[in-house]
Amino acid sequence: MDIHQIDEICWLKDAYPVSAHGVGGRIANSTDNSQNLDSFSIEWTFPDGTKGYDMVRWIPKCYDEFATYVHGTKCAAQFSGHMHLGTVRTYKDQRCGPDNIAWQAEKEQHTPWQAEWNNLLDNIRHDRPQNEARRAALTNLADIMGRAAVHSGKVITWDEALKSNFRFCPGIDDMTDETAPPLEPDAQGRYAVPIPGVWSEI
């Protein structure tokens, strides 16, 4: 649900987490038939001991800010705004509020999505390499270990995630239209929801 915020955390740290611990859940009396949770909170620990926190909730009528903040030794800053807009500012101290802004970047000319296209096409036209596959793969691994930590209720390490052969759907390469579904719903048409302490992914 929150892969881009996790990407931003790793980008800001210029590192990948060594472990993740998290909690999550679903709204009471949920009638959602899927296995998905609707809220996650994950604590990432990086090699130097610093922490990154990611919280996301998709529940109607709830607080729904979608942004990235950073707290340093001297002050706080906002790294991105709603839906990854370029809302970038520093604050006078640790308080993140509109009345405490020390500096704010000018409004960007393009949306983040247009800027991505502009960079990609410019690099193609000028024959400059652009390959973000490694960074994207490692960020996704950080996301996978965070999800596993929430689903299992365990602290998941980077090394565990990297060595894991876990698959949600084993044998997917050999599936055909006639293959039986790897997971069946219960009598109400619902699929098993992850239960921390019982569920295992990595």
Side-chain angles (χ1 to χ4, degrees):
M1 264 198 292
D2 221 14
I3 180 65
H4 298 302
Q5 257 67 32
I6 296 164
D7 186 31
E8 289 180 0
I9 291 169
C10 294
W11 186 17
L12 283 161
K13 280 298 300 172
D14 193 24
Y16 297 97
V18 294
S19 66
H21 167 256
V23 296
R26 287 168 68 139
I27 194 167
N29 303 318
S30 174
T31 56
D32 186 333
N33 287 354
S34 77
Q35 293 187 289
N36 296 329
L37 303 181
D38 51 31
S39 59
F40 286 86
S41 179
I42 302 168
E43 175 191 77
W44 311 95
T45 301
F46 286 87
D48 64 1
T50 56
K51 306 280 187 178
Y53 297 92
D54 178 63
M55 290 176 278
V56 62
R57 172 175 54 199
W58 296 101
I59 301 174
K61 301 179 183 176
C62 292
Y63 180 73
D64 64 353
E65 182 175 36
F66 192 84
T68 300
Y69 293 90
V70 179
H71 289 268
T73 57
K74 295 181 179 178
C75 67
Q78 184 171 355
F79 181 73
S80 69
H82 185 68
M83 299 305 289
H84 311 295
L85 290 177
T87 308
V88 177
R89 53 178 67 121
T90 56
Y91 297 96
K92 297 172 186 173
D93 48 40
Q94 299 295 338
R95 294 173 294 126
C96 301
D99 61 340
N100 198 39
I101 297 171
W103 172 86
Q104 181 165 310
E106 294 180 15
K107 184 176 179 182
E108 292 185 345
Q109 183 180 359
H110 304 288
T111 68
W113 305 278
Q114 185 61 52
E116 285 180 319
W117 277 108
N118 292 349
N119 288 343
L120 176 63
L121 295 175
D122 189 53
N123 286 336
I124 290 170
R125 289 181 180 121
H126 293 93
D127 197 25
R128 289 191 296 255
Q130 178 170 326
N131 186 343
E132 298 180 44
R134 183 178 187 280
R135 192 176 70 88
L138 294 176
T139 294
N140 273 276
L141 184 63
D143 191 30
I144 287 167
M145 68 188 265
R147 182 194 63 208
V150 170
H151 285 181
S152 68
K154 300 174 183 175
V155 173
I156 302 294
T157 69
W158 182 264
D159 289 339
E160 287 173 324
L162 199 57
K163 293 174 185 173
S164 174
N165 291 319
F166 173 81
R167 295 180 182 184
F168 268 114
C169 186
I172 195 170
D173 330 6
D174 301 319
M175 285 185 160
T176 68
D177 292 342
E178 287 73 41
T179 303
L183 187 66
E184 297 284 354
D186 64 16
Q188 286 78 41
R190 297 179 183 168
Y191 292 88
V193 176
I195 300 172
V198 176
W199 191 273
S200 180
E201 276 178 35
I202 289 180

